[in-house]
C-alpha cells in the first residue's frame, strides 16, 4: 500500500486561505468517508483536526474544513495564522494490505 | 482529560527485541480500540497496527511491514497497551506513538517514544 499523495509544501500569508490535497484510490479515499487530517507541530504528537472527511473535533477552530471529491480529499485552512505553521497529514481507512494509510505529509509555512 | 504515556524505548541492536508500553488514563480504556503509529526520523507517519476491545475478542491487525514480527497486546486491568517488537531492523528506527482509535480515527495520541535500532 503506497502512502496517499500530498504536496510537500504549501505556503500563504496571514489571513489568506490555503488548501492541501490528499490523493488516493478507490480502495481508500474514494471508497470510504473515513478520511482524517492531523496537525503535527515540531517534536509533538499529531493532533486530530478533521475526521470523517469534514467533521471537526470539539475545540478545533472552524477555520479548518475538509472535503472530498472522488479519490482526492482536501483540507482548507482559512484566515491563516502563524500558529497554523506545522506539518499536516491526511489518513484514510483502506481495504489494501494495511488497515489505515497516511499521506506523505505537507509542510505549511506562514509567510 | 485523556492521557497516553509511552515507555520502554531505547537503543537495540539489529535482530533484537523491545517491548513498548502505553499507560492510558482519562477514559474507559477497556471499551476502546487502541493502535500504534510510527514515524521514522524526518519522515511521515506510518500505521503499525491496532487491537480491538474485549467485545471484539482483542483481535489485531498489522501493517504488512511488521506482520509476523510485531505483536500488539493489552491489559485492561492495568489500562495498558503493549507493542512487542522482535527481529528488529535498522528501518524500524522511529518514534512510536500509541493512540486511541475511535470510529476510524485516532483522536488521542501519546507523546511518542524513540526506538533506535543500530549496532
Amino acid at each position: 500500500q503506497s502512502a496517499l499523495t500530498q504536496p510537500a509544501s504549501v505556503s500563504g500569508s496571514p489571513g489568506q486561505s490555503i488548501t492541501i490535497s490528499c490523493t488516493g484510490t478507490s480502495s481508500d479515499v474514494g471508497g470510504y468517508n473515513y478520511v482524517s487530517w492531523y496537525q503535527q507541530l515540531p517534536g509533538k504528537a499529531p493532533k486530530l483536526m478533521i475526521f470523517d472527511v469534514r467533521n471537526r473535533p470539539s475545540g478545533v477552530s472552524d477555520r479548518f474544513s475538509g472535503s472530498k471529491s472522488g479519490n482526492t480529499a482536501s483540507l482548507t485552512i482559512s484566515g491563516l495564522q502563524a500558529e497554523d505553521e506545522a506539518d499536516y497529514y491526511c489518513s484514510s481507512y483502506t481495504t489494501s494490505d494495511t488497515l489505515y494509510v497516511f499521506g506523505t505529509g505537507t509542510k505549511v509555512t506562514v509567510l | 482529560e485523556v492521557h497516553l504515556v509511552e515507555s520502554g524505548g531505547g537503543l537495540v541492536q539489529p535482530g533484537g527485541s523491545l517491548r513498548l508500553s502505553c499507560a492510558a488514563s482519562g477514559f474507559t480504556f477497556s471499551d476502546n480500540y487502541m493502535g500504534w503509529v510510527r514515524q521514522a526520523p524526518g519522515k511521515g507517519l506510518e500505521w503499525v497496527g491496532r487491537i480491538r476491545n474485549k467485545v471484539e475478542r482483542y483481535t489485531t491487525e498489522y501493517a504488512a511491514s511488521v506482520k509476523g514480527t510485531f505483536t500488539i497486546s493489552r491489559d485492561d486491568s492495568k489500562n495498558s497497551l503493549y507493542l512487542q517488537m522482535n527481529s528488529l531492523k535498522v528501518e524500524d528506527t522511529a518514534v512510536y506513538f500509541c493512540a486511541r482509535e475511535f470510529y476510524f480515527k485516532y483522536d488521542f495520541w501519546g507523546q511518542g517514544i524513540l526506538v533506535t535500532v543500530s549496532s
Side-chain angles (χ1 to χ4, degrees):
Chain A
Q1 168 74 47
S2 299
L4 305 175
T5 301
Q6 299 180 231
S9 62
V10 173
S11 61
S13 299
Q16 286 186 329
S17 293
I18 61 169
T19 297
I20 304 169
S21 61
C22 169
T23 301
T25 69
S26 58
S27 295
D28 38 64
V29 175
Y32 305 92
N33 288 325
Y34 297 132
V35 176
S36 300
W37 288 91
Y38 300 89
Q39 177 193 65
Q40 188 178 33
L41 299 171
K44 300 296 185 180
K47 175 187 176 183
L48 179 67
M49 304 300 285
I50 294 287
F51 66 94
D52 295 350
V53 175
R54 62 181 71 251
N55 296 310
R56 279 187 310 276
S58 174
V60 171
S61 171
D62 60 4
R63 298 186 298 104
F64 291 84
S65 61
S67 62
K68 190 184 84 167
S69 177
N71 296 337
T72 298
S74 298
L75 173 72
T76 297
I77 308 176
S78 304
L80 198 62
Q81 299 180 1
E83 66 199 47
D84 300 330
E85 197 162 277
D87 292 326
Y88 292 83
Y89 294 90
C90 61
S91 176
S92 174
Y93 174 80
T94 175
T95 53
S96 70
D97 59 357
T98 184
L99 201 59
Y100 293 97
V101 60
F102 284 94
T104 50
T106 298
K107 182 176 182 60
V108 168
T109 301
V110 182
L111 302 172
Chain B
E1 186 181 359
V2 173
H3 279 291
L4 297 169
V5 180
E6 301 92 341
S7 61
L11 176 65
V12 60
Q13 292 189 337
S17 298
L18 204 60
R19 187 199 198 202
L20 304 183
S21 300
C22 172
S25 61
F27 65 102
T28 306
F29 179 78
S30 59
D31 286 348
N32 286 270
Y33 294 9
M34 297 293 297
W36 290 95
V37 176
R38 68 182 180 181
Q39 186 171 36
K43 303 297 185 181
L45 301 172
E46 180 188 14
W47 182 78
V48 172
R50 71 106 174 258
I51 184 167
R52 293 187 173 92
N53 55 18
K54 182 178 181 180
V55 170
E56 300 294 337
R57 301 183 181 183
Y58 301 126
T59 50
T60 53
E61 284 93 10
Y62 299 94
S65 58
V66 305
K67 191 176 293 185
T69 57
F70 287 14
T71 302
I72 298 174
S73 61
R74 60 192 294 165
D75 185 338
D76 290 347
S77 69
K78 296 181 179 179
N79 287 347
S80 292
L81 175 72
Y82 305 102
L83 179 65
Q84 177 67 44
M85 303 182 291
N86 297 331
S87 303
L88 282 161
K89 307 170 188 174
V90 171
E91 51 264 39
D92 294 318
T93 294
V95 173
Y96 285 74
F97 298 97
C98 70
R100 185 178 83 163
E101 182 180 327
F102 190 73
Y103 289 103
F104 301 97
K105 61 186 179 290
Y106 288 97
D107 57 353
F108 293 102
W109 297 64
Q111 84 285 353
I113 191 81
L114 177 63
V115 172
T116 303
V117 184
S118 175
S119 55

